[in-house]
């Protein structure tokens, strides 16, 4: 059968590619989605070509090529601003992992090549004249609007679990039904999705969700959606009919969470993270869910503007979207009335977006030294007050309020959580108004919780512990005692000696990220600024069965004045406030520390070694070249700190001409040193 060869630029370029290959004595065809969409008269963006020519021959035939998947016989060919994937006819060996064939072989022909494809509608080829090669009757299935697996459906899904999701995605995007035999195989194939990476599942899920039209959604078994999304016991069937009443993937997702989760806003982040949604995506869905919940909860009074941030970030349309979500959930509401109410409500507020405020982020940076996400949070705080008629929208009153708010924002777990940038927002973070030692609490918590990392902090630690059995005293309310606990398993348990040094580097870099560049490291892990100690780190561990629970305790003098320290320490210690000559936000600092330690954990799990950071450590280490006293058990080694090796060991040259390695130990200035 012949179909009309499209006259669009990309198809004409593809045609000349086919001609060039054929002139060299080989066969070449346009295959897959491009053929399917041409027949369906849908727009085609990517054109794939299958050929009998080897990749080497394709590279010789064309001027600009890239060996994008040479192991699978694929070469990308560039012609006039278009890339074409040209793949040698191939068949695939058995699939060991449910995603990738163990081997591919190229000694086959077009039919062999088409036979390895997923669905009949994707297993057609077309030559340069539009002549169709269709050994699996994909054309008939296209006309009948049917998704049917090529050959034995069950084996197809077993070979590649992603095909389970693709079957439903094609059915949704094309408005097709699934062939009975294929559907029967799908029903028992949900578990094949287990082997598919979350990123791939997400890609198909987003296309599926966006394309879904009523009433075409109830044929998908809940078991498949649960495996597809990774959301255990997710009952898609209970909400699928309603979600098609809104457009847009994020609006549909928000509706799914509102309809299926009693605790939607708390659960959705974990659920979306499981499927590797972007942070931006998570925030938008969260904003929609919260706007919808707030609007419902406050109805009919609706006095305040509690989701100001969301409104300013996503525009007034957010409220309209939230109103639509509510109308779907509550049959007693009518869309027109609700929309009219929301417009009236918006008009009652003096400002609607952050841009309407009489100050900007740059004013806060310049006058109050605010940094990073704290700027946005301060603006949101001001926005909420002004929008709700609780504060005048003038430069002076806004600046005064911002200053008070920033300084008064004492440590607060909620604020810290919002300030997190790389660590998961649902990380376990425990805040205590007062406690004995954060290290002790963190050790107990990590033993109870089955998580890789958690944080415990306070600004009032009553019996803080320092190294060598000393006490660690922080002036209450002016410092940070933070312990990060890690659960290390498998090989990660065997490289612990590097942690104290990693910890020092991590604290230094967290300080640098809030603009404190002067921090230096005294081996192994004290942090000094301008020759005085500002932070101490106590790393402790405990082995339980096949796990190590590691606790890194960090004590930082943040906003203490010199008078807050005991007299005998005044010449040896300092605080961030003293060195920076301004108060430092403990929330911001804590958030950055948690972020940086979370990244350290990821890198450590990815086998990062101290040797990879040795140069950075040396750059910031103030110990090298110094005359030092190092306590080693009961002995003290005295000499010049000569070098640090790949393992983090410090080598000290003593007066007798020996060079002594110090693996673990502590540098002291003199025997009374207490800091
Ligand atoms: C030192 O320099 O001796 C180490 C001091 C470590 C102090 C911190 S504060 C948080 C954590 N909890 C403790 O009890 N100690 C550490």
């Amino acid at each position: 059968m012949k179909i009309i060869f499209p006259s669009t630029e990309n198809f004409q370029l593809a045609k000349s590619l086919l001609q060039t290959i054929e002139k060299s004595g080989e066969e070449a065809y346009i295959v897959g989605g491009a053929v399917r969409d041409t027949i369906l008269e849908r727009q085609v963006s990517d054109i794939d070509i299958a050929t009998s020519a080897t990749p080497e021959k394709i590279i010789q035939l064309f001027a600009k090529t890239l060996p994008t998947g040479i192991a699978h016989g694929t070469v990308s060919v560039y012609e006039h601003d278009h890339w074409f994937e040209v793949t040698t006819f191939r068949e695939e060996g058995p699939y060991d992992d449910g995603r990738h064939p163990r081997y591919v072989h190229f000694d086959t022909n077009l039919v062999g090549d088409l036979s390895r494809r997923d669905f009949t509608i994707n297993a057609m080829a077309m030559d340069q004249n539009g002549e169709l090669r269709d050994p699996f009757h994909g054309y008939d299935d296209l006309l009948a609007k049917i998704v049917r697996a090529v050959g034995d459906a069950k084996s197809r899904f077993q070979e590649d679990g992603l095909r389970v999701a693709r079957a439903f995605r094609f059915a949704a995007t094309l408005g097709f039904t699934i062939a009975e035999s294929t559907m029967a195989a799908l029903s028992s194939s949900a578990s094949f999705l287990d082997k598919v990476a979350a990123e791939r599942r997400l890609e198909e899920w987003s296309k599926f969700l966006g394309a879904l039209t009523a009433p075409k959604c109830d044929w998908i078994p809940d078991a498949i959606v649960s495996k597809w999304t990774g959301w255990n016991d997710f009952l898609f069937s209970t909400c699928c009919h309603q979600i098609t009443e809104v457009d847009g993937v994020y609006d549909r997702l928000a509706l799914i969470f509102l309809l299926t989760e009693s605790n939607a806003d708390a659960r959705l982040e974990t659920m979306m993270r499981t499927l590797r949604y972007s942070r931006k995506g998570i925030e938008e869905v969260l904003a929609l869910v919260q706007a919808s919940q707030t609007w419902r909860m406050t109805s009919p009074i609706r006095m305040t503007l509690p989701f100001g941030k969301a409104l300013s970030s996503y525009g007034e349309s957010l409220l309209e979207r939230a109103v639509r979500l509510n109308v779907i959930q509550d049959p007693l509401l009518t869309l027109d009335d609700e929309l009219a109410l929301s417009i009236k409500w918006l008009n009652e507020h003096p400002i609607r977006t952050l841009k309407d405020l009489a100050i900007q982020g740059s004013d806060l940076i310049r006058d109050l030294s605010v940094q990073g996400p704290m700027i946005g949070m301060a603006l949101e705080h001001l926005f909420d007050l002004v929008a709700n008629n609780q504060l005048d929208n003038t430069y002076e009153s806004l600046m005064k309020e911002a200053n008070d708010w920033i300084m008064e924002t004492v440590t607060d777990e909620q604020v810290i959580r919002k300030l997190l940038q790389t660590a998961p927002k649902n990380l376990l973070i425990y805040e205590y108004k007062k406690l004995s030692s954060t290290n002790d609490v963190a050790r107990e918590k990590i033993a109870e919780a089955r998580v890789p990392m958690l944080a415990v902090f306070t600004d009032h630690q009553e019996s803080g512990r320092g190294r060598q059995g000393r006490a660690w005293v922080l002036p209450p309310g002016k410092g940070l005692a933070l312990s990060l606990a890690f659960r290390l398993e498998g090989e990660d348990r065997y490289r612990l000696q590097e942690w104290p040094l990693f910890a020092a580097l991590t604290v230094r870099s967290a300080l640098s990220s809030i603009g404190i560049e002067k921090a230096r490291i005294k081996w192994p892990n004290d942090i000094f600024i301008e020759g005085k100690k500002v932070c101490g780190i106590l790393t402790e561990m405990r082995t339980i069965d096949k796990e190590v629970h590691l606790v890194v305790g960090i004590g930082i003098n943040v906003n203490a004045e010199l008078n807050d320290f005991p007299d005998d320490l005044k010449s040896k210690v300092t605080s961030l406030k003293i060195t920076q000559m301004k108060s430092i936000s403990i929330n911001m600092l804590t958030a950055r520390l948690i972020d940086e330690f979370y990244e350290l954990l990821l890198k450590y799990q990815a086998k990062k070694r101290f040797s990879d950071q040795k140069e950075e450590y040396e750059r910031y280490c103030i110990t090298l070249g110094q005359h030092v006293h190092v306590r080693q058990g009961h002995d003290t080694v005295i000499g010049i700190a000569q070098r640090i090796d790949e393992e983090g060991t410090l080598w000290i040259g003593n007066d007798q001409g020996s060079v002594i390695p110090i693996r673990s130990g502590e540098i002291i200035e003199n025997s009374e040193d207490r800091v």
Side-chain angles (χ1 to χ4, degrees), residues 435-442 456-458 461-474 480-484 525-527 533 535-540 551-556 666 674-675:
L435 51 50
S436 52
S437 157
T438 52
N439 266 28
D440 294 346
V441 175
V456 175
F457 74 96
T458 185
Q461 178 172 253
E462 292 181 310
S463 334
R465 290 184 286 105
R467 293 198 302 272
Q468 310 269 347
R470 292 168 314 203
W472 175 264
V473 183
L474 284 176
L480 171 65
L482 168 69
S483 293
L484 299 150
N525 60 9
D526 282 337
I527 304 291
K533 182 160 169 171
C535 161
I537 301 173
L538 175 66
T539 307
E540 299 175 303
V551 178
V552 179
I554 304 157
I556 308 187
E666 186 182 13
R674 284 180 45 202
V675 293

